[in-house]
PDB file of all heavy atoms in Angstrom:
ATOM      1  N   ALA B  20      41.729-122.942  12.083  1.00 98.00           N
ATOM      2  CA  ALA B  20      41.701-121.871  13.089  1.00 98.00           C
ATOM      3  C   ALA B  20      42.931-120.991  13.003  1.00 98.00           C
ATOM      4  O   ALA B  20      42.844-119.755  13.032  1.00 98.00           O
ATOM      5  CB  ALA B  20      41.523-122.453  14.473  1.00 98.00           C
ATOM      6  N   ALA B  21      44.075-121.623  12.785  1.00 98.00           N
ATOM      7  CA  ALA B  21      45.330-120.870  12.670  1.00 98.00           C
ATOM      8  C   ALA B  21      45.313-120.018  11.401  1.00 98.00           C
ATOM      9  O   ALA B  21      45.725-118.844  11.403  1.00 98.00           O
ATOM     10  CB  ALA B  21      46.534-121.826  12.633  1.00 98.00           C
ATOM     11  N   GLU B  22      44.843-120.567  10.285  1.00 98.00           N
ATOM     12  CA  GLU B  22      44.748-119.793   9.059  1.00 98.00           C
ATOM     13  C   GLU B  22      43.825-118.607   9.179  1.00 98.00           C
ATOM     14  O   GLU B  22      44.051-117.536   8.671  1.00 98.00           O
ATOM     15  CB  GLU B  22      44.337-120.687   7.872  1.00 98.00           C
ATOM     16  CG  GLU B  22      45.428-121.623   7.402  1.00 98.00           C
ATOM     17  CD  GLU B  22      46.639-120.951   6.921  1.00 98.00           C
ATOM     18  OE1 GLU B  22      46.533-119.877   6.255  1.00 98.00           O
ATOM     19  OE2 GLU B  22      47.766-121.395   7.243  1.00 98.00           O
ATOM     20  N   ARG B  23      42.668-118.859   9.855  1.00 98.00           N
ATOM     21  CA  ARG B  23      41.725-117.745  10.065  1.00 98.00           C
ATOM     22  C   ARG B  23      42.353-116.617  10.881  1.00 98.00           C
ATOM     23  O   ARG B  23      42.113-115.444  10.644  1.00 98.00           O
ATOM     24  CB  ARG B  23      40.463-118.281  10.743  1.00 98.00           C
ATOM     25  CG  ARG B  23      39.563-119.053   9.803  1.00 98.00           C
ATOM     26  CD  ARG B  23      38.297-119.508  10.459  1.00 98.00           C
ATOM     27  NE  ARG B  23      37.417-120.058   9.444  1.00 98.00           N
ATOM     28  CZ  ARG B  23      36.402-120.892   9.722  1.00 98.00           C
ATOM     29  NH1 ARG B  23      36.126-121.201  10.982  1.00 98.00           N
ATOM     30  NH2 ARG B  23      35.634-121.370   8.779  1.00 98.00           N
ATOM     31  N   GLU B  24      43.160-116.977  11.886  1.00 98.00           N
ATOM     32  CA  GLU B  24      43.829-115.960  12.671  1.00 98.00           C
ATOM     33  C   GLU B  24      44.830-115.191  11.843  1.00 98.00           C
ATOM     34  O   GLU B  24      44.918-113.988  11.943  1.00 98.00           O
ATOM     35  CB  GLU B  24      44.534-116.632  13.877  1.00 98.00           C
ATOM     36  CG  GLU B  24      45.126-115.617  14.841  1.00 98.00           C
ATOM     37  CD  GLU B  24      44.114-114.650  15.424  1.00 98.00           C
ATOM     38  OE1 GLU B  24      42.966-115.073  15.685  1.00 98.00           O
ATOM     39  OE2 GLU B  24      44.489-113.511  15.660  1.00 98.00           O
ATOM     40  N   ARG B  25      45.552-115.894  10.962  1.00 98.00           N
ATOM     41  CA  ARG B  25      46.502-115.204  10.062  1.00 98.00           C
ATOM     42  C   ARG B  25      45.781-114.262   9.140  1.00 98.00           C
ATOM     43  O   ARG B  25      46.194-113.122   8.887  1.00 98.00           O
ATOM     44  CB  ARG B  25      47.271-116.223   9.240  1.00 98.00           C
ATOM     45  CG  ARG B  25      48.351-116.918  10.014  1.00 98.00           C
ATOM     46  CD  ARG B  25      49.235-117.802   9.108  1.00 98.00           C
ATOM     47  NE  ARG B  25      49.892-118.789   9.909  1.00 98.00           N
ATOM     48  CZ  ARG B  25      49.615-120.092   9.892  1.00 98.00           C
ATOM     49  NH1 ARG B  25      48.688-120.579   9.094  1.00 98.00           N
ATOM     50  NH2 ARG B  25      50.300-120.910  10.663  1.00 98.00           N
ATOM     51  N   VAL B  26      44.639-114.709   8.574  1.00 98.00           N
ATOM     52  CA  VAL B  26      43.846-113.842   7.677  1.00 98.00           C
ATOM     53  C   VAL B  26      43.363-112.604   8.431  1.00 98.00           C
ATOM     54  O   VAL B  26      43.453-111.497   7.945  1.00 98.00           O
ATOM     55  CB  VAL B  26      42.650-114.629   7.098  1.00 98.00           C
ATOM     56  CG1 VAL B  26      41.655-113.679   6.445  1.00 98.00           C
ATOM     57  CG2 VAL B  26      43.156-115.672   6.108  1.00 98.00           C
ATOM     58  N   HIS B  27      42.920-112.805   9.652  1.00 98.00           N
ATOM     59  CA  HIS B  27      42.426-111.674  10.444  1.00 98.00           C
ATOM     60  C   HIS B  27      43.549-110.658  10.669  1.00 98.00           C
ATOM     61  O   HIS B  27      43.352-109.433  10.566  1.00 98.00           O
ATOM     62  CB  HIS B  27      41.890-112.205  11.769  1.00 98.00           C
ATOM     63  CG  HIS B  27      41.252-111.147  12.626  1.00 98.00           C
ATOM     64  ND1 HIS B  27      40.094-110.457  12.262  1.00 98.00           N
ATOM     65  CD2 HIS B  27      41.602-110.593  13.826  1.00 98.00           C
ATOM     66  CE1 HIS B  27      39.765-109.586  13.176  1.00 98.00           C
ATOM     67  NE2 HIS B  27      40.663-109.673  14.152  1.00 98.00           N
ATOM     68  N   ALA B  28      44.753-111.164  10.974  1.00 98.00           N
ATOM     69  CA  ALA B  28      45.900-110.252  11.186  1.00 98.00           C
ATOM     70  C   ALA B  28      46.257-109.518   9.915  1.00 98.00           C
ATOM     71  O   ALA B  28      46.568-108.330   9.951  1.00 98.00           O
ATOM     72  CB  ALA B  28      47.117-111.055  11.713  1.00 98.00           C
ATOM     73  N   LEU B  29      46.202-110.193   8.796  1.00 98.00           N
ATOM     74  CA  LEU B  29      46.519-109.570   7.495  1.00 98.00           C
ATOM     75  C   LEU B  29      45.480-108.529   7.135  1.00 98.00           C
ATOM     76  O   LEU B  29      45.802-107.455   6.596  1.00 98.00           O
ATOM     77  CB  LEU B  29      46.617-110.609   6.401  1.00 98.00           C
ATOM     78  CG  LEU B  29      47.853-111.494   6.431  1.00 98.00           C
ATOM     79  CD1 LEU B  29      47.736-112.679   5.416  1.00 98.00           C
ATOM     80  CD2 LEU B  29      49.123-110.708   6.234  1.00 98.00           C
ATOM     81  N   VAL B  30      44.228-108.796   7.455  1.00 98.00           N
ATOM     82  CA  VAL B  30      43.160-107.797   7.188  1.00 98.00           C
ATOM     83  C   VAL B  30      43.393-106.568   8.023  1.00 98.00           C
ATOM     84  O   VAL B  30      43.259-105.430   7.519  1.00 98.00           O
ATOM     85  CB  VAL B  30      41.762-108.427   7.420  1.00 98.00           C
ATOM     86  CG1 VAL B  30      40.682-107.327   7.480  1.00 98.00           C
ATOM     87  CG2 VAL B  30      41.451-109.439   6.370  1.00 98.00           C
ATOM     88  N   ARG B  31      43.769-106.751   9.290  1.00 98.00           N
ATOM     89  CA  ARG B  31      44.017-105.590  10.132  1.00 98.00           C
ATOM     90  C   ARG B  31      45.198-104.773   9.613  1.00 98.00           C
ATOM     91  O   ARG B  31      45.158-103.502   9.555  1.00 98.00           O
ATOM     92  CB  ARG B  31      44.337-106.037  11.567  1.00 98.00           C
ATOM     93  CG  ARG B  31      43.111-106.479  12.393  1.00 98.00           C
ATOM     94  CD  ARG B  31      43.480-106.661  13.849  1.00 98.00           C
ATOM     95  NE  ARG B  31      44.684-107.416  14.057  1.00 98.00           N
ATOM     96  CZ  ARG B  31      44.788-108.653  14.531  1.00 98.00           C
ATOM     97  NH1 ARG B  31      43.621-109.287  14.833  1.00 98.00           N
ATOM     98  NH2 ARG B  31      45.919-109.257  14.705  1.00 98.00           N
TER      99      ARG B  31
END
Side-chain angles (χ1 to χ4, degrees):
E22 287 299 321
R23 285 183 172 160
E24 186 59 35
R25 284 187 202 108
V26 167
H27 186 65
L29 289 172
V30 167
R31 285 192 312 253

